[in-house]
Amino acid sequence: MPRFFFEHFPTETSVGQEISLPDAVFHHAVRVQRLKSGDACILFDGNGSAWSATLTSIDKRRAFARIENKLPTPTPSPFTVTLALAVTAAERMDWALQKGTELGASSFLLFYSERSHAQLNETRQERRSEHWRSVIISACEQCGQNRLPQLSPPETFDGALRMAEAHSVSAAPDQNFPSPTCGRGCPKGAGEGKKFGVPALRFFLDANASQTLSEALRSTQIPPPPKQAFLMIGPEGGFTADEIRAAQTAGWQTVRLGPRTLRAETAAAAALTLVQAAFGDLEAC
């Protein structure tokens, strides 16, 4: 069934009510997909909610739809992944954002590295950011994701490291697992006042790293499971030695994907797939 992103969906809309479709939805539904009166579709607001609807009337400039039902809200994945992507050439950047959205990235942290070729001025950056958002919206419409991944304006490399650190919030202690200093047989009250969380995973892709991402993931598959991961992917020319050292100093774990050198957009999709299969909502084979 066709799906359309309806930004600022009227929150007080009730089942059976007719609503006017925004211009962007009208264009996509009527001009692009050629829907007619009586055709069904799904409208989602980008915040996790979606409604089934039926087109009721269409004229040259407007279309109306009747809300049939509010769809059940899927349970969010307990594991979130942020893709930190160096800005690359237009088509490659679009591909990375599209596939990252389809594979379940919860947010994108963009940055310029020393070897990034596409350094944009403010005006071009604003237009490019709007385009990137449209790529993410289209991917959500295609893949069934009702929540838009967050997209931040491009940072410097050091700024991206700081943002990841600021957003690396350890998960709350899991009561099903003993704390690192106190087993299940500890006396009541032992260790009170201490908080033990699950640190976020931070993987930095470097083709010359000593261990693979798969090896690193296997080493972390002990309870309690992580709740958050960051994956940092470099530009076409890779990271510089200074950037690698800075990431290691900041606590990132350098990993490689295997014996072949992948394009930046391919590396992003491959790394996200491995991490989602290990801890997220993508089932491993």
Side-chain angles (χ1 to χ4, degrees):
M1 185 181 299
R3 291 168 39 85
F4 305 105
F5 171 57
F6 192 135
E7 193 167 15
H8 309 307
F9 188 91
T11 55
E12 297 181 357
T13 300
S14 58
V15 172
Q17 183 177 343
E18 282 196 0
I19 58 174
S20 176
L21 300 182
D23 291 344
V25 178
F26 168 79
H27 175 78
H28 192 184
V30 178
R31 303 299 186 204
V32 178
Q33 297 210 16
R34 303 292 184 181
L35 297 189
K36 307 295 183 184
S37 294
D39 287 343
C41 65
I42 292 174
L43 306 173
F44 68 99
D45 64 0
N47 295 315
S49 297
W51 296 260
S52 61
T54 302
L55 296 184
T56 55
S57 64
I58 300 172
D59 59 30
K60 291 183 177 181
R61 297 183 181 274
R62 293 190 303 172
F64 292 84
R66 181 178 60 251
I67 301 302
E68 305 292 356
N69 190 29
K70 189 175 190 301
L71 301 177
T73 302
T75 302
S77 172
F79 182 73
T80 62
V81 185
T82 296
L83 268 184
L85 300 171
V87 176
T88 56
E91 296 83 2
R92 294 179 180 179
M93 197 72 201
D94 290 358
W95 199 93
L97 292 170
Q98 180 190 70
K99 302 311 174 188
T101 300
E102 292 175 10
L103 290 166
S106 58
S107 58
F108 296 98
L109 172 58
L110 309 185
F111 64 93
Y112 292 111
S113 73
E114 290 186 34
R115 291 176 177 161
S116 291
H117 297 298
Q119 297 279 352
L120 304 177
N121 60 36
E122 184 175 350
T123 301
R124 291 183 62 199
Q125 181 57 70
E126 185 176 348
R127 289 200 301 264
R128 182 55 56 181
S129 293
E130 291 175 357
H131 171 75
W132 288 333
R133 186 170 186 265
S134 72
V135 170
I136 291 172
I137 289 171
S138 294
C140 285
E141 290 176 336
Q142 185 276 325
C143 74
Q145 170 68 276
N146 292 330
R147 188 178 299 275
L148 295 185
Q150 296 179 1
L151 176 68
S152 65
E155 292 276 346
T156 63
F157 176 78
D158 290 338
L161 293 181
R162 289 192 296 270
M163 282 195 68
E165 176 67 27
H167 290 84
S168 295
V169 181
S170 294
D174 192 325
Q175 301 303 319
N176 294 320
F177 298 102
S179 74
T181 60
C182 178
R184 295 191 185 278
C186 285
K188 183 179 180 180
E192 285 184 353
K194 298 181 179 180
K195 292 185 180 295
F196 300 101
V198 184
L201 303 176
R202 285 184 288 171
F203 295 121
F204 185 94
L205 266 64
D206 171 22
N208 297 315
S210 60
Q211 72 171 340
T212 65
L213 176 56
S214 294
E215 292 169 340
L217 290 170
R218 283 195 294 270
S219 70
T220 61
Q221 287 184 336
I222 55 176
K227 302 295 183 184
Q228 184 185 32
F230 290 82
L231 295 170
M232 183 166 275
I233 318 293
E236 292 94 333
F239 290 109
T240 65
D242 287 343
E243 288 172 334
I244 294 171
R245 283 192 293 270
Q248 291 172 326
T249 300
W252 290 73
Q253 188 173 359
T254 56
V255 294
R256 55 186 168 83
L257 286 173
R260 288 170 292 280
T261 301
L262 305 181
R263 293 185 183 275
E265 66 274 21
T266 309
L272 180 55
T273 299
L274 289 172
V275 171
Q276 285 282 55
F279 298 112
D281 56 9
L282 186 65
E283 294 187 8
C285 296

